[in-house]
Amino acid sequence: MRGVISAAGYVPYHRLDRSEIAAFFGSGSGQGRRAVASYDEDTTTMGHAAADLALRSTPVKPVAVWFATSAPAYLEKTNAAAIHAALRLDPAVGALDFGGAIRSGIGALRTALAAGGPTLVVAADRRDGPPTGADEAAAGDGAAALLVGDGSDGPVLAEYLGAASRTVEVTERWRTPGEARSRSWEERLGAHVLGPVGAEALHAALVDSGLGDTAGIDRLAVTGLNSRAVAAAVKAIGAEPSSIVDPLIDTVGNTATAHPALLLCSALEQASPGETVAVVALADGAEAVILRATDELADHRPIAPVSAQMAAGGPVSYGRFLAWRRMVDVEPPNRPPPNRPSSPAAHRRTGWKYGFTGSRDRSSEMVHLPPARVSEKGGAADDMEPESMAHTTGTVRSFTVDRLAYSPSPPTVFAVVDFDGGGRAPLELTDVDAGEVHVGLRVVPTFRRLYTADEIHNYFWKARPARAGEAAGTQAGAAK
């Protein structure tokens, strides 16, 4: 049996009420709220967040990490390598990027389901569009990760039944290299071309899975950036309306490359053992994947369910959203920007910089952050073992609010954090208003982008408030 061993979605903390768009510009429309990546989040950090949640709920370790996004932080450099490093995976674990097309997310998942060995498929996107436009209103930011493997690797939550693909060359949505935003043709073209193709792909997948017809589908997710094409595909499929999975447009927005996997994660959180889940993604044709929930799903408890993350979001103003996306210029920081990070220094300290791994003195048990060779307690030299802190909760012991330091989103809040079980580190806080910070605040580490200088992204760890309902899980691939 091959299928999904673990699945997790990631929804950024910040939410934009779409009604603010019309209030700000006097035009534009949209209902509900959309998820907004913070100024220090990109597709790499969001992909890591989802991947980390997926791996923490299973002891199974992947032999490969595949990362798909239409908005990569780097071209030519492998973005999956940073996710690999932040997950503290063995160097023997391969890490590959899957192109820059919207279809690459569902394509990577389908390829992994048909391949061998446990593979971690990660998809993320950071989406927007011209202000007041349809893309901006319907878009959302987020990520999802699915660990795919065989029953011999670990308990399978959803068994892979079958899939089908249909490829159509149609210039319905496109973006050329160097352009910040995508463009699209009039929606009727997509509805005319992609709608029937989506139904054809699903019916072929039903034959491949042995289900025969749509009566065998309990939960159906149909997604694509063309809403009219999605509606046309749903109509052509002819599935029961009660089987349609919430597309999360009014609560998260369309996360493009990540959306098929995110909807699958959401559907599996609500599914019961024995139910079938089908996902159809429309982009340059269609991909359809069908899975059946196993008995193992009944005992599976996600560390951070998609529904809980949606409920935990906090508001962000439209003006701040525009500034974060650099659509408007605001007063720059009062101090000069930082210098570019050193590549040799980052390479030498990969375990600390990407994995947030300190050291514990074997004789005194003292935790050192950053890792040290000589113990502060007792002075023992070179008698340390790695200590991963990425999943350790801490407490704010002191903090300062700096309104002058360089930051794309001032003010900057720095805190001294004492971690449970030992270890102290000064860290920047994120996903929190300065007025909410207090001594005693419980925080957890989070992998973020500190800044970008000379086109080099400086990734490191910050701390964010621990949210209600967060639970501990098994850590895969951690250095101990």
Side-chain angles (χ1 to χ4, degrees), residues 128-479:
D128 55 47
T132 74
D135 276 355
E136 179 188 59
D141 306 328
L146 299 110
L147 181 61
V148 174
D150 299 318
S152 58
D153 300 317
V156 172
L157 305 180
E159 177 188 5
Y160 173 55
L161 298 182
S165 178
R166 293 293 184 270
T167 300
V168 176
E169 168 50 35
V170 56
T171 309
E172 186 264 340
R173 178 173 288 270
W174 68 96
R175 176 164 60 91
T176 56
E179 292 297 321
R181 301 182 187 92
S182 64
R183 299 176 62 189
S184 60
W185 205 265
E186 205 276 330
E187 281 198 329
R188 287 180 295 179
L189 173 65
H192 174 72
V193 175
L194 299 180
V197 170
E200 182 181 336
L202 178 60
H203 289 140
L206 287 167
V207 173
D208 185 53
S209 64
L211 294 179
D213 56 42
T214 57
I217 298 176
D218 298 296
R219 299 179 185 272
L220 171 64
V222 183
T223 181
L225 290 178
N226 187 322
S227 59
R228 291 183 64 167
V230 170
V234 170
K235 182 178 180 181
I237 290 169
E240 289 293 328
S242 59
S243 69
I244 304 300
V245 173
D246 178 6
L248 305 183
I249 299 301
D250 292 341
T251 51
V252 177
N254 195 317
T255 59
T257 311
H259 217 59
L262 184 62
L263 293 185
L264 177 56
C265 292
S266 179
L268 290 177
E269 289 176 6
Q270 303 169 43
S272 300
E275 289 189 338
T276 56
V277 180
V279 179
V280 179
L282 309 179
D284 302 315
E287 297 279 351
V289 175
I290 302 177
L291 303 104
R292 176 183 288 126
T294 69
D295 293 339
E296 297 289 346
L297 187 64
D299 298 325
H300 178 68
R301 298 291 181 270
I303 293 175
V306 173
S307 58
Q309 294 183 60
M310 291 191 298
V316 62
S317 68
Y318 186 53
R320 176 155 288 197
F321 166 77
L322 293 175
W324 284 356
R325 297 303 167 91
R326 298 183 179 180
M327 296 185 194
V328 297
D329 293 327
V330 297
E331 181 70 20
N334 291 322
R335 293 180 182 174
N339 296 324
R340 73 175 184 178
S342 167
S343 290
H347 176 70
R348 289 193 299 268
R349 306 278 277 185
T350 297
W352 166 247
K353 180 176 174 58
Y354 288 92
F356 202 46
T357 300
S359 60
R360 182 184 290 273
D361 176 23
R362 290 186 176 91
S363 57
S364 69
E365 294 293 317
M366 181 176 180
V367 176
H368 297 74
L369 303 177
R373 290 183 59 191
V374 179
S375 176
E376 292 184 23
K377 185 183 293 185
D382 294 327
D383 190 28
M384 300 280 186
E385 60 182 1
E387 183 72 14
S388 175
M389 306 297 292
H391 302 142
T392 306
T393 304
T395 302
V396 171
R397 291 307 180 195
S398 65
F399 68 93
T400 182
V401 179
D402 194 332
R403 302 182 187 279
L404 297 178
Y406 174 84
S407 173
S409 186
T412 301
V413 182
F414 293 101
V416 174
V417 178
D418 282 350
F419 287 96
D420 300 350
R424 167 178 284 191
L427 296 172
E428 184 178 343
L429 300 188
T430 189
D431 289 355
V432 64
D433 291 331
E436 299 174 356
V437 181
H438 60 273
V439 172
L441 178 68
R442 298 286 281 170
V443 296
V444 293
T446 180
F447 185 62
R448 296 297 174 99
R449 189 169 74 186
L450 298 185
Y451 60 85
T452 299
D454 198 20
E455 299 184 353
I456 298 178
H457 304 312
N458 189 17
Y459 293 109
F460 189 56
W461 292 75
K462 297 184 180 182
R464 63 166 178 82
R467 308 296 179 194
E470 288 183 330
T474 301
Q475 181 178 340

